Structure formats: structure tokens, C-alpha cells
Amino acid sequence: MALSGMRGLSVFISDVRNCQNKEQERLRIDKELGNIRTRFKNEKGLTPYEKKKYVWKMLYIYMLGYDVDFGHMEAISLISAPKYPEKQVGYIVTSCLLNENHDFLRVVINAVRNDIIGRNETFQCLALTMVGNIGGKEFAESLAPDVQRLLISSSCRPLVRKKAALCLLRLYRKNPDVVNIDGWSDCMSQLLDERDLGVLTSVMSLFVALVSNNNEAYRNCLPKCVKILERLARNQDIPQEYTYYGIPSPWLQVKTTKALQYFPTVEDPNTRRALFEVLQRILMGTDVVKNVNKNNASHAVLFEALALVMHLDAEKEMMSQCVALLGKFIAVREPNIRYLGLENMTRMLLITDVQDIIKRHQTQILTSLKDPDISIRRRALDLLYGMCDVTNAKDIVEELLQYLSTADFAMREELALKAAILAEKFAPDLSWYVDVILQLIDKAGDFVSDDIWYRVVQFVTNNEDLQPYAAAKAREYLDKPALHETMVKVSAYILGEYSHLLARRPGCRPKEIFAIINEKLPKVSKPTVAILLSTYAKIMMHTQPPYPELQEQIWAIFRKYESYIDVEIQQRAVEYFVLSRKGAALVDVLAEMPKFPERQSALLKKAEDAEVDTADQSAIKLRSQQQTSNALVVTDQQHVNGSILGNQLGLVKMPSQKMEASTHNQGLTKENGAVSKVDPEPTPSADLLGDLLGPLAMEGPPAAPVSGEKNMISALEATPDAAGALALATVGDQSNSVQPIVNIAERFHALCLQDSGVLYEDPYIQIGIKAEWRAHHGHLVLFLGNKNTSPLLSVRALILPPSHLKMELSLVPETIPPRAQVQCLLEVVNLRASRDVAVLDFLYKFGTAVVSVKLQLPAVLNKFLRPISVSAEEFFPQWNSLSGPPLKLQEVVRGVKPMSLLEMANLFASLHLGVIPGLDTNPNNLVSCTGFYSEGTRAMLCLIRVETDPSDRTQLRITIASGDPTLTFELKEFIKEHLVNIPMSTHAPAPAPAPAPAPAAVPLQPQSPITPAGYTDPGVMLAGLL
Amino acid sequence: MGIRFILLVNKQGQTRLAQYYEYLTLEERRALEGEIVRKCLARTEQQCSFVEHRNYKIVYRRYASLFFLVGVDNDENELAILEFIHLLVETMDRHFGNVCELDIMFHLEKAHFMLEEMVVNGCIVETSKTNILAPIQLMDRAS
């Protein structure tokens, strides 16, 4: 072992190394620090060599994790030393010890600048490197022009220029203004012509930073990047020094490929062709070889190429190659490749149409969930979470549950949360959801946050069908010997509310329920005691007439807790005791919990928050944003007449939060007059807790609805006081008092593309729609949901059908009872093709308010289309036989919403125009085929071809052919309306009584063709429709 | 994209070289080094070379008694970093001739010089061993 040039340093290092324990080490280091401190104090005697030695010692000590709070000035002063060795130490140690905000750095800005603009190359490099590592704002201001000059200077050698590139990157990050984009894109383009690979490597880092900030400005550099990739991939003119195990600089390849991922598309056909050739070569030409290093390097390039192909998402063929490769990778034994395969597959989920292929690998992915390596398990969990949907939720969630009992502690909480979210989002039925959550609590109670059990209680409360089931399940769990406290809480809560629904089952008599819950009482914590007391009160309430024996037992407990140390529990005990002596009045006071307002799942919110500081998980995040909870709340089933259509989850959600607020508010004055105010929350925490525990104790409005109440007030501007004052509102005030709380135009537009959802909603009523379409028949159900505790009166629904539709609405009851939902059937028959739109004229009274709205009904042209898949042999004869107008029409459409071909294909799919991939040889074209159904034409074949221009996405040419001239024309216009920008009015139309001139803001629906832009009045619009 | 830090740690968890590209206070460094050393050193040869930690990743590789740990952003190419570690080791090998823990320990400054040439501000600057070692050789000749 050759000793370092500095003997003292070596001796010190071996001293520290020889220390037997941490304490000795500490002593040795303290001694050295004292020594250095005294030496620095008597500065005069220090030679540059000694200074250098001490500064290295300081760095070594700092590296070992000891604080070095002196000597910084000495380190910095070395920067100004005339000789290279001292200067070098000064620069390196300064950039290790100090951060950019250190005051001392200011002192040396001038010395640094002198080195940068000086003639000595090695000094230039040292200075540029230090500024590149720790330069701050002040450096950016004073040095940027010099650094730029060095970077583009032709007289500078590569070794200086590569440092200048990264130095500039640092300065740019500190102050983006130092790079003037206008002039710099040309410089950048020239820099990318660089032959020296060292300079290119660092220039590429600078380029990635610039382009990630503004890809538009650097579009001219895109072909250069492709050239660089080509040069590397073909191994043209690459010095031996820059090939690594036979691979031309894998790092530069990776960086360049990364840079290309910042451009949304590659438009120039030549560049595009060249790029795809390179990518194809990488995808196909990367073989597994024996040498680990070579293998890693080539796969590094391959994975980056995969990412670029996914990003461009242009070549179907290549995309399927990527999926195939990833499928292979997740099955290999080599852990690194498997890890990256799983990771990239998760990223791939962003691209919707590969989901089905990824699902084929589910078994393999589940295997990785049990891998001995936690890194791989995490990737597998993320992927499973991302790929879960309604079709595979059962399998995946059940696997997760099973895995939960063996999973390591580090993952359990995440696992439990994810299982709960998936169960909620994709539950095929709600009883399964309840099963999953209860199992979750049972298996991993410690890792189940309160949010999870609050959520299941909300679901059970809001869904009457579920209540007996949940109660029975809760009862079953109580028989288990060792029960997690969370399970005690949730079981007690559910049984308190719903055990009376089980009364006839064995072991479920009130007395028995009470006994088994009461067994747990001595062992639980305070918040649980509070819940149990409420449960007892509820059991007592449901036991009418009372069993004296049970009553006595419960009273005894209440009395015992009257003097309990915790105030909340004490208060509950006192109040329940008094209340329970009120006899029949108890039933009113302790009535069943009202339904919870529908809101974003706290779990999803939590998952989103958690993702901010964990891995990027962009795919998952995006998906969780796209897919709002599928588990809607089904309410008031008993009021629903007739059959329930489809699955329950598809039903309209209600009630909304705002109305809930006023319910609480009114309920309070009406029902709870006798109850004194108490603090509803035993433990202050999320608003959910307020919801769950608050109303349980039967007092003031819980935390969450308070804000809702404010909304409510603002929604009812006419009412001077809160909801209680509603009755005082005069008829004159009503006209504009009820505003829809959804955007009607948006809702209509959405319903044109889907078959169920909310059509209209205001504070009192929600109108949902669910439609089934068969050939030229439509079967629609309107759901009229009263959100209030008082009835909606004088309800009137009138259908104003356009001439091409025959529509028949079943009887609409004049009154909608409180909190009830009424279903009305609407039968539609399509007579011929037309873009006219049917209107629902709807009117009701609430209190003194008369609300009248006219709503467009989504019985539009595309609802009578059915996609047809045909082969080329079938397509072309048809296409050719329909020649020229009026059967075949062609038009160039301008002002198209810019969208990728994939987006357009998706849009077409949602319009029921079946896109047939591969029929047109030109990848920029889209061909689709659909059947139109009407009474007049029966099934009529329609063929559509869209030719897009990749260089200008705002225009395209559309050709439509069918056997009926009207149909051809109407369909062409209809598709156009969907392709050009649809003005989405942010205001909803003000529903005024009768056709009084409505002020402004009526959305101009392109779907109502005879509504020219000038019409703003719904009355006029209506007249036109008729 | 970028490298956040490069750490060389021996089997006992002692730091042999530390270079950070984002400023962390001493306490933060101590905590971070403790956590990741605990995480990575416990792993077996059959496990993958990537460990997720907080909001970034550690790419690591073991050479005899020495662990090379590189903290990178999540969008960094893991395999490229893994091979970059090997490039660093090969470069050290070329200079020291069969590099070992003691070489790095007692030639702290040289190890730093090499890293300086290879990485600036968390970005890879140079991958040619000749170019990386040129300044060191220049200095060796001068002294």
C-alpha cells in the first residue's frame, strides 16, 4: 500500500481506523480537531502544505459524521492559492463542506471568476466544477455570461467545455433567466453537433434540463438527438475509450433517449423513420449475454428505448413488442431485470389499450408478490394496484388479503390501505366489500387506519340492503376469541344500529348481542368505550317493549360510567341514562343514523397524499385521478318502484353533501330539542370521525357539514337566514334562487357518450338517467331523487320530442316523498336520422320555490349506432359501391380539437363508431364502420374514413358513406360536432320559470343544430326545436 | 434526473467516501447513511440491486468488503447507474491497480478527484477512463 503524499493525514486515518470503539474514535477526533484549531489560530506558521493537510483531515472527519464548525475560511482561502495542488484542495473541500448559501462563498466569487476567465485550463476546470456543484444565485448572476462563452467557444478544449456545460446547467437551475431561450436554441443545436463524446455527454444533461422546461423552444434540436442516437447505435466514429463492453457509451444513449421523451411527438417523417429504425434495432437486437456488465449496459439502453416507445405510443407493432418484452422480463430469474420489468409495466398502464395484455400476466405478477426481495414485492404490489379493475378485483384483492398475514411489517399498512381502496373502487357487490374490510381488520387490525373502518360504516349506513348482512357478519366476528379492538369498534357500531334486523336468528337476541359486546368492555380503550355506550343505548332503543332485565344491566353500566374520568364518556353515560328513561320518546331521539353525504373517499385522498412523497408512481396516481370511486351510494331502495336496473353500483349517487347539511340542521331543531350540546368528538381528528361519532351522541351538527351549510346558504341567496328561515322566502324571491349544482351542458355532453349518470342536480333534486339501447329502440329510466326531508310538490315532467323520435314517458307522480327516489320510464323509438335533440321540461315546487328547467335528453344520433367489425374484403366493395354525393360525402374539417389518433379512436369508440385498425394502410388514417338503426331504415351500414395530417392536428378530411343521403349528411355533421371544439360553458343555464329572458349563459349545444350562435334564450331555442 | 449522492461504505457500515450533490445537514446525512446502510447491507446476493428509500432509489453494488451506494431520482435509469458504479471501480482499478478499501481510505483525495471528473452536480460528465485519470496523472507527475 503506497502511502499518501501527506504523512500526517495517513497517520491520522490509520489512528482512527485502529480505534476499538466509537468512544475511542470520538476522543481521537476531538484531539485532532483541537490540534487543527490551534494550528489555524496561529496562522502565521502554516505552510501551504500544512494547510492542505489539515483541510483534508477536516474533510475526513466531516465524512465520518462529526461536526466541523471551523476552518471553513482556511479551506476557502486555498482557492486563491497560486499553485495547482493547493487550489485543487481548496475547490474540492469547499464544495464538500459548504452549501450554496454559505456567506463565505461570496468572498471568493472574484477569485473563482478570475480562474474561469483566466488562461490556465486546469484552473478553469476546477473553478467550473465547484460552481457546477455548489454555485448559487449570486454566482449565476456574475458568472453566467463567462461560462456560456466558454461552452460555445471554438478555441476551448473539450475538457473545459464539458465542465462549462454542467456549470451552466447549475446556474440555469438557480436562475433560469441566465439562459435566454430565443438565442440559445440555435447554440444548443450547434452544441449537439459536437463530435467529442465527453462534451456531448455533459451537453446532453444541460439539454435535458432545458427541454424539460420548454420542449417547444428546442424542437429544432430533435433531429440532432436522433442523429446522435443513430451514431451510437450504429457504432459510427466512436472512440474505443467511449465504448463500454462493446457498447457505445450506454450513458449517452440513455441520456439522449431520455431527452427525446420530452418531446410530445416526432413529426418530421424522415426523423421519425430514422428514430423508429434505431428503436427497432434496440428492441430486437438486445440479446442476453453471459457478461453481466455488458448485459446490464445493453439492457439499460433497452429499458430507456422501451420508455421512449411507450411515450410516443405511435407504432402499434412496436408497442406490442414492448409488452411482449416486459412480459418476458417479469418472468426471468435475474432480479434486476424482473424488478425493472415490473416497474416499466406499471408505467405502461398509462396506455389504456395494453391493459388486457398485461392482465394475462397476472399470475406471474402475483408470484412476484411473494418474492423474497422487498423491492420486487413493492413493484409487484404497485403493478397489481394499478392494473386492478372490476374484472380482476376479486382475485387481486383476495391475493392481497392472503399475503397480508405473511407480509413484512414494512409493507402491511400500505398493503391494507391498497386492498381497502381496491375493494371500494371495484367491488362487484357491496357484501363482498364488507367481507374484505372485515377480513382486513381481522388479519391486520394494527395496520388498518380508522379511515378504513369509517368508510365501511358509511357504506353500510347508506345501503339498506347491506345492513342485515353486515350485522350478521359483525356478529360472527364477535364469537372469535382474540378480537382486534378495531373489530370491536366496527362490530359494536354496526350491531348497535342494525342488530334488530337479526333478532330472529339464533344468538342475536338483544340480550345476547349485549352480552357478547359487553364482554369486551373491560379490555378496550376510551374511544371504544364511548362507542360501546352508544351501542348499548341503541340496543335499548330497539328493544321495545323493554326487557326489564336488560334495561337494568345497561342502566347499571351507564351509572357506573357517570363518574368516569373521561369527560366525553361521562357525558354520554349521563345523557343516555336520562334519555333511556323517556320511554317511547327514546325511539325518536336515538333513531337510526341518517345517511352519510357522498364524498371523496378519505382513503383515496390518503393514498394520493402518500404518493406525493413516495416513489413517482405516476401511472397509479393518474389512474386514481381518472377513476373516481365506482362504489356509488345507493339510497332509498324501498321507494324505488319497479325493478332495479343493472347493478347497484351503477345507480345515481345521492344525496349530495349540501342537502345533508340542512337535514342535520333541521333535524336538530326538530328532534333534538331536549338534548344539551356536547362536544361531539371524543378524540379530535379527521372530519370523518365527526360524522361517525358525532351524530351518534345526538347533538349539534358534526364538523363536516358546517361548511356544507355555508354553501347551502349561499345557494339560497334569497333567504336571509339559515335553512330554518326558508319558509319566510317570498314567492317573488324565487326566480333565480335555485341554481343547478352541476354543469348542465357538461352533464349532457357526458351522457351523450355514456349511458348512465347524473343529468341535473340542484340543492333539492337530482335527476339521473340510465339508458339501454337496442336497435332503434331506447329504454331510458329517469331517476328523480328528492334530497330533502320534505316532499317536492307539483312535479311535472313533459317530454318535447323532435320529429324523428317517438317518445313516451310513464306517469310521473305529482309528489316525490322526502328523501325518496322515483323512477320513470321513457321509451324512445328512432324514426330516422336527425341531430335534433329531445327536451325534458321539468317543473317542481319546494316550499315556496318553483323550479322549472329544460333539459336536453341524451337520445342522440350515436345512441342508435352499433359498431360493426368488417374485414377488408367486406369493406372495400361496399366503400366503392357507394360513390359520390349524396350517398358519399367528403369534407375537410378545420378547427379540430388537436388529439392523437389514439384519442380520436377512443372518441369514435364512445360514439359507437367501430374503428377498424389496420384497414387503411396509412397509419394517419382512421376507418370505422357502424350500423345505424331507425324504424325507416332498419339497419343501415355506414362507413367512415378520417384522414389526418400529422403536421397539423387541427384539420382533417372526413368521408362518410351510407345507403341513405340524409343519414350520410346527418352523421357527417354529427361527427364534425364532436371533433371540433365544443364550447363548454362553465355556467349552467339559469333555470327561470317559463320563458322569461334568461340572463346570459345558456350553453350552445352543437347538438341542437338549429340553434345558431345568436340564440341565448331557452324559449326561442325550444321553439326552434319544435 | 440525477445522482443525489454517492457513498462508499464497508461491511461494518463505516463510510469510506461520501459525495453529496444536494446539500444535507450533518444530522440529515448521519440519519440517511444509517438508514440506507441498514437497508442495503442486509440484502442478499440473490436480491436485486435497487432499494426504494423515501422518495428516491438506491442503486448499489458490492465489491468484496465495500458497498457502493448511489442515490438517484426515481426517473433515473437504474441499470445505467449500476454500470456507472462498475465504471468507477474500473477507473480506480486502473489507477491503484486492483483497488481495495484501504486504497480509497488512504487516498481520499484521489478518490475525490476521480469522482469530480466523473460527476458534476449529479450528472455524469465523463466516461472515458483516460480522460478521467488525466488530471491525476498530471499532478502525480508534477509532484
Side-chain angles (χ1 to χ4, degrees), chain A residues 1-4 6 9-10 13-14 17 25 56 59-60 62-67 84-85 88 92 95-99 122 129 132-133 162-163 166 169-170 173 198 201-202 205 208 241-242 244-245 249 251 254-255 258 262 292-293 296-297 299-301 303-304 335-337 339-340 343 347 372-376 378-379 613-616, chain B residues 1 14-21 23-27 29-30 33 39 43 45-52 54-57 61 63 74-87 90 94 101-103 105-110 112-113 116-132 135-136 138-139:
Chain A
M1 180 197 69
L3 275 183
S4 161
M6 288 165 284
L9 178 61
S10 299
I13 291 174
S14 50
R17 183 164 172 260
E25 183 183 288
W56 274 117
L59 184 65
Y60 187 77
Y62 185 65
M63 185 189 78
L64 291 178
Y66 294 92
D67 201 4
Y84 183 74
Q88 185 191 37
I92 290 184
S95 61
C96 287
L97 289 181
L98 302 186
N99 73 25
T122 47
T129 308
N133 280 329
K162 68 185 184 196
K163 304 262 172 164
L166 285 175
L169 168 60
R170 171 87 190 186
R173 282 191 178 143
T201 304
S202 45
S205 291
V208 168
E241 265 299 307
Y242 284 100
Y244 180 81
Y245 289 89
S249 182
W251 301 283
V254 165
K255 259 192 217 183
K258 190 146 270 167
Y262 287 102
V292 179
N293 302 106
N296 283 340
H299 280 79
V301 175
F303 274 110
E304 211 56 62
N336 287 345
I337 302 292
Y339 173 94
L340 294 171
E343 180 178 50
R347 286 186 186 149
D373 183 350
I374 189 168
S375 297
I376 289 181
R378 272 191 199 286
R379 287 294 110 233
D613 52 34
T614 56
D616 67 337
Chain B
M1 89 183 224
Q14 294 162 317
T15 307
R16 289 300 174 227
L17 186 69
Q19 177 73 59
Y20 287 83
Y21 298 100
Y23 183 76
L24 295 180
T25 63
L26 195 70
E27 287 70 37
R29 285 182 190 211
R30 260 191 244 148
E33 287 175 25
K39 263 192 184 177
R43 293 171 64 84
E45 294 280 326
Q46 286 77 46
Q47 300 187 328
C48 70
S49 314
F50 321 122
V51 177
E52 289 159 28
R54 296 191 195 168
N55 55 346
Y56 52 90
K57 275 183 194 169
R61 213 161 173 164
Y63 293 87
N74 273 313
D75 60 349
E76 189 63 63
N77 187 309
E78 295 90 343
L79 287 177
I81 296 297
L82 195 61
E83 284 318 296
F84 184 71
I85 295 176
H86 190 69
L87 179 75
E90 286 188 345
R94 187 186 279 195
E101 185 185 336
L102 292 183
D103 291 322
M105 231 180 126
F106 285 100
H107 300 274
L108 186 66
E109 76 289 3
K110 292 213 170 118
H112 269 284
F113 297 154
E116 283 269 302
E117 289 301 312
M118 296 176 78
V119 183
V120 173
N121 195 17
C123 299
I124 296 172
V125 229
E126 185 57 84
T127 58
S128 144
K129 283 171 224 144
T130 315
N131 290 350
I132 296 167
I136 299 177
L138 196 79
M139 210 169 47

Side-chain angles (χ1 to χ4, degrees), chain A residues 645 751 754-757 768-774 777-783 826 828 858-859 863 866:
Chain A
L645 277 164
L751 284 169
Q754 65 200 44
D755 284 334
S756 62
I769 224 168
K770 189 166 176 72
E772 282 180 324
W773 304 93
R774 242 176 252 119
H777 288 279
H779 179 84
L780 280 80
V781 186
L782 296 175
F783 296 85
L826 175 62
V828 184
K863 303 288 184 183
R866 290 291 161 273

Side-chain angles (χ1 to χ4, degrees), chain A residues 49-356:
Chain A
Y49 166 79
E50 282 171 313
K51 244 196 206 173
K52 198 173 83 177
K53 185 176 75 182
Y54 292 130
V55 168
W56 274 117
K57 280 185 182 170
M58 279 164 48
L59 184 65
Y60 187 77
I61 292 170
Y62 185 65
M63 185 189 78
L64 291 178
Y66 294 92
D67 201 4
V68 181
D69 53 2
F70 65 94
H72 295 159
M73 202 59 201
E74 280 73 15
I76 288 179
S77 67
L78 284 174
I79 287 177
S80 320
K83 281 208 190 120
Y84 183 74
E86 281 82 45
K87 202 183 259 303
Q88 185 191 37
V89 177
Y91 274 121
I92 290 184
V93 175
T94 301
S95 61
C96 287
L97 289 181
L98 302 186
N99 73 25
E100 65 173 81
N101 299 319
H102 207 289
D103 285 340
F104 288 177
L105 277 181
R106 245 179 248 145
V107 182
V108 284
I109 288 191
N110 259 332
V112 174
R113 179 155 190 269
N114 286 337
D115 281 341
I116 285 179
I117 58 176
R119 293 276 168 81
N120 187 324
E121 270 180 352
T122 47
F123 289 8
Q124 280 179 317
C125 288
L126 287 175
L128 288 168
T129 308
M130 188 198 78
V131 178
N133 280 329
I134 58 162
K137 266 211 150 82
E138 282 178 55
F139 281 87
E141 278 148 27
S142 54
L143 297 177
D146 300 320
V147 177
Q148 281 189 21
R149 210 171 303 123
L150 290 179
L151 175 58
I152 54 175
S153 142
S154 54
S155 59
C156 255
R157 283 212 300 155
L159 86 142
V160 179
R161 292 176 55 218
K162 68 185 184 196
K163 304 262 172 164
L166 285 175
C167 183
L168 186 62
L169 168 60
R170 171 87 190 186
L171 301 182
Y172 169 73
R173 282 191 178 143
K174 291 297 143 192
N175 177 10
D177 297 338
V178 302
V179 173
N180 178 0
I181 288 174
D182 295 338
W184 198 248
S185 67
D186 286 338
C187 286
M188 220 47 232
S189 171
Q190 278 174 23
L191 284 168
L192 291 173
D193 284 332
E194 174 67 44
R195 300 310 288 172
D196 182 278
L197 289 188
V199 178
L200 213 44
T201 304
S202 45
V203 163
M204 198 54 82
S205 291
L206 174 63
F207 180 66
V208 168
L210 294 171
V211 95
S212 67
N213 208 21
N214 181 355
N215 67 68
E216 215 27 70
Y218 295 93
R219 198 164 272 282
N220 58 335
C221 300
L222 198 150
K224 298 283 172 70
C225 292
V226 176
K227 282 230 168 68
I228 296 171
L229 262 194
E230 273 187 294
R231 179 183 164 201
L232 292 165
R234 299 222 169 97
N235 202 349
Q236 290 167 335
D237 180 26
I238 309 292
Q240 186 55 38
E241 265 299 307
Y242 284 100
T243 53
Y244 180 81
Y245 289 89
I247 296 163
S249 182
W251 301 283
L252 182 55
Q253 290 199 53
V254 165
K255 259 192 217 183
T256 314
T257 315
K258 190 146 270 167
L260 285 167
Q261 288 167 48
Y262 287 102
F263 293 100
T265 51
V266 182
E267 272 149 15
D268 173 54
N270 290 330
T271 312
R272 194 186 164 86
R273 198 176 319 112
L275 176 61
F276 278 105
E277 251 179 63
V278 173
L279 291 173
Q280 186 69 45
R281 183 192 284 252
I282 297 170
L283 290 191
M284 298 307 288
T286 309
D287 298 320
V288 179
V289 292
K290 269 228 163 98
N291 183 301
V292 179
N293 302 106
K294 181 170 182 161
N295 221 20
N296 283 340
S298 65
H299 280 79
V301 175
L302 174 61
F303 274 110
E304 211 56 62
L306 276 174
L308 179 57
V309 174
M310 286 193 259
H311 163 77
L312 293 173
D313 186 19
E315 300 280 315
K316 260 227 126 54
E317 179 66 14
M318 262 187 167
M319 289 296 287
S320 48
Q321 276 179 24
C322 290
V323 186
L325 272 175
L326 290 176
K328 211 173 80 186
F329 290 157
I330 63 166
V332 298
R333 275 191 53 212
E334 215 280 293
N336 287 345
I337 302 292
R338 194 140 42 94
Y339 173 94
L340 294 171
L342 291 167
E343 180 178 50
N344 281 279
M345 219 178 231
T346 311
R347 286 186 186 149
M348 199 147 201
L349 284 172
L350 280 174
I351 299 142
T352 45
D353 60 347
V354 296
Q355 286 211 15
D356 287 336

